[in-house]
Amino acid sequence: MFSAALVFGVFVASLFWSQPKGLSYCTFTVKPAPKPQITAESLRGTWKGNWGHNQADCTLLIDRVDGNDFYGTLRKEGAEILFEGTFNPKTRTFYFDETEIVRLGDRMSGWSLGKNGGLISQDGRILVGDGHDQWGQYGWAASNY
């Protein structure tokens, strides 16, 4: 008997629970967080990763930026190589040429100055690219974490 009364009560109450006309539910629009603006200045700093035909550890130090041009030093296995390049902020791509061998590593017989291109990640924390020199094409990647 109690069950029948409960079912009947819920039925009668449901007649009054209907949504009033003109009342709508709230909706939320979630905007994605704005992407950081990546500029040539975003390249300035120390980047660590791997480089070249043997994917050895490397450090890229970009210490000077002038407009969309940048300048720095690649260090790998005791070698120190100067480079200079240009950044395109619209595409987040960059190109740079190794310009001078400052020092070879103790166990190196030579270095071929390469031409390199790459892309900086949307968050400005990772560089990925490839290059070519007299020995062929190679890949590299570095981050500033």
Side-chain angles (χ1 to χ4, degrees):
M1 182 73 167
F2 174 75
S3 296
L6 181 62
V7 170
F8 180 73
V10 170
F11 170 74
V12 171
S14 71
L15 296 175
F16 300 99
W17 283 343
S18 62
Q19 182 179 0
K21 301 270 189 247
L23 183 64
S24 62
Y25 294 101
C26 288
T27 59
F28 295 95
T29 303
V30 178
K31 292 182 182 179
K35 294 177 186 170
Q37 175 132 14
I38 304 296
T39 65
E41 193 63 40
S42 304
L43 298 173
R44 185 188 301 264
T46 302
W47 302 80
K48 294 184 182 270
N50 54 51
W51 186 277
H53 302 287
N54 64 353
Q55 293 294 299
D57 290 346
C58 73
T59 300
L60 293 164
L61 172 61
I62 299 174
D63 56 1
R64 191 169 63 130
V65 176
D66 183 13
N68 285 329
D69 297 331
F70 59 91
Y71 307 85
T73 306
L74 163 64
R75 292 186 177 101
K76 175 186 169 192
E77 299 178 313
E80 191 171 314
I81 311 299
L82 299 182
F83 62 83
E84 53 187 59
T86 301
F87 179 69
N88 181 334
K90 291 180 182 174
T91 61
R92 296 188 338 270
T93 57
F94 53 87
Y95 300 93
F96 64 94
D97 293 336
E98 299 165 25
T99 58
E100 183 181 338
I101 302 167
V102 175
R103 177 178 58 235
L104 283 178
D106 292 340
R107 297 174 14 184
M108 291 182 175
S109 60
W111 184 282
S112 174
L113 295 174
K115 296 187 177 297
N116 299 275
L119 175 72
I120 188 170
S121 62
Q122 287 184 351
D123 66 359
R125 304 301 307 262
I126 299 171
L127 304 177
V128 177
D130 62 10
H132 66 274
D133 60 18
Q134 72 180 17
W135 297 300
Q137 189 164 347
Y138 54 87
W140 56 268
S143 72
N144 64 3
Y145 284 104

